[in-house]
Amino acid sequence: FVDTPLGNGQLMVSGRVGYPKLALLAAESIGAVNEGTKLNYWDGQLRYGFPIGRRSHAELIWLGSFDNINLPGVSDNPRAGASRLEFHRVETRLVHQIARGEIGAALRFGYDYSELGDALRVQSFSVGPRVWSRFKFGAHSLRAGAEIYTFAGDVDDRDGTLASPDGDIEVSLPNVAGAGTRNQGGLWTEAHLVTSPRTRLDLGLRLDYWSVQSEIDLAVDPRLRFAFDATDALELHAAFGLAHQPAVFLLPVPGLTDLGLDEGLTRAIQAEVGAELELPADITLEVQGYLHHYDGILLPELVSDGAVRDDPPLS
């Protein structure tokens, strides 16, 4: 991780590279993996911000990740055990400070690639703008924004199953829609209200749409969180909210969530309660309890002995 001044701005860069060759050789020596197994991975982040005026600054953001594995012996096809997952995000931002907050705009570009043996290959590109604002009114605050993205690419649904190296477990992939594009947009707002010296209320609302081919899905997601200071050291809180997203495969690989499936929306009903206690010596104890309910999740069957059902259930 590096954080350093650069020109008139500030640069932050971090990265990680995995080199598990020695661990794989040790695993081969005891028969834990097949000879010739390969694994590589890395990820990185970059952020560069610089002023462009007395109250304005620009930022450049990059996030990326790469994972590659090759498991020989899965089948006679040498590509059957090869998988690759990769994604990149680049976003340019312009932020302007105002008297009681800030306003900002950004443009994001994305690239995703996934290859799961002979079963599936996905490649997608995305682009879209977003805008946001933040205001403070004494102890209260308000945030709002909007975004719209277009995803384009291709999905190659090949063999339709994923198998373990020994072939004893297979996963049947869901049917993949042939849509080459997906559009997504939304409006959101969040308010933080100090309702009394001991209570706080957070309110949020999202309006979203997704379109694939001629199908359009709409969602309204309210969210609420209430906090109460029972004593100076004890806070009690509770929250409730809805969340929607397109139904995705059990393995949310890059690109597939953007393009591949046309199975409507997954809905999550989320609730939680908790307590936070401040102890001496700057120690904080926190306890959370939550209950979530999900509708519209894709659950492919996992069946032993190579038996795979043709139609994974949609529940």
Side-chain angles (χ1 to χ4, degrees):
F1 173 79
V2 177
D3 185 357
T4 180
L6 180 64
N8 295 327
Q10 191 76 13
L11 175 68
M12 290 186 290
V13 181
S14 66
R16 177 181 61 178
V17 177
Y19 185 74
K21 182 66 175 179
L22 295 179
L24 289 175
L25 290 175
E28 287 181 11
S29 66
I30 61 174
V33 299
N34 292 335
E35 183 178 355
T37 299
K38 297 180 180 180
L39 173 64
N40 300 285
Y41 58 90
W42 60 261
D43 60 70
Q45 304 87 34
L46 178 147
R47 178 174 183 173
Y48 181 57
F50 56 94
I52 58 175
R54 188 167 62 90
R55 291 190 173 184
S56 301
H57 70 275
E59 294 180 351
L60 174 66
I61 310 293
W62 168 77
L63 304 172
S65 178
F66 177 87
D67 297 88
N68 183 54
I69 188 170
N70 188 9
L71 301 174
V74 172
S75 74
D76 295 335
N77 187 339
R79 295 301 302 169
S83 295
R84 170 184 156 196
L85 306 176
E86 181 179 3
F87 78 87
H88 301 274
R89 298 288 184 273
V90 177
E91 184 173 86
T92 57
R93 300 175 182 172
L94 178 63
V95 182
H96 178 70
Q97 302 296 323
I98 57 178
R100 293 185 175 181
E102 69 177 28
I103 55 176
L107 180 62
R108 193 193 78 180
F109 302 89
Y111 172 74
D112 292 61
Y113 183 90
S114 294
E115 185 173 5
L116 303 179
D118 280 343
L120 184 70
R121 185 189 66 83
V122 183
Q123 180 175 240
S124 74
F125 302 86
S126 62
V127 61
R130 65 186 182 98
V131 294
W132 72 91
S133 60
R134 177 177 58 85
F135 305 97
K136 293 203 69 172
F137 306 97
H140 312 298
S141 64
L142 175 67
R143 299 174 65 239
E147 59 195 38
I148 183 169
Y149 296 109
T150 295
F151 305 88
D154 62 89
V155 179
D156 183 6
D157 185 11
R158 301 173 180 175
D159 178 80
T161 59
L162 296 177
S164 64
D166 295 331
D168 54 345
I169 296 178
E170 293 185 348
V171 180
S172 179
L173 293 173
N175 294 326
V176 174
T181 61
R182 181 193 294 273
N183 298 311
Q184 180 265 326
L187 303 170
W188 57 269
T189 183
E190 297 175 350
H192 174 73
L193 306 174
V194 179
T195 51
S196 76
R198 288 189 174 272
T199 59
R200 295 169 300 281
L201 181 64
D202 294 301
L203 301 173
L205 182 67
R206 281 195 65 98
L207 307 175
D208 288 287
Y209 87 92
W210 295 266
S211 64
V212 178
Q213 295 176 333
S214 60
E215 298 293 329
I216 296 179
D217 293 304
L218 302 174
V220 179
D221 294 338
R223 297 163 191 179
L224 177 149
R225 184 180 188 272
F226 180 75
F228 169 63
D229 293 329
T231 68
D232 291 341
L234 176 63
E235 176 195 276
L236 306 177
H237 54 264
F240 172 83
L242 298 180
H244 290 82
Q245 70 173 40
V248 297
F249 178 46
L250 183 64
L251 302 176
V253 297
L256 194 60
T257 57
D258 300 332
L259 290 176
L261 302 180
D262 188 11
E263 296 286 356
L265 298 180
T266 296
R267 181 183 66 169
I269 304 174
Q270 303 172 328
E272 66 97 1
V273 294
E276 182 178 304
L277 179 64
E278 294 183 3
L279 301 175
D282 291 331
I283 297 174
T284 300
L285 175 65
E286 189 169 347
V287 178
Q288 300 278 0
Y290 63 91
L291 178 63
H292 293 181
H293 175 78
Y294 298 93
D295 291 321
I297 296 178
L298 288 171
L299 297 175
E301 295 284 3
L302 295 174
V303 184
S304 300
D305 300 326
V308 181
R309 295 185 180 178
D310 293 333
D311 297 319
L314 179 65
S315 62

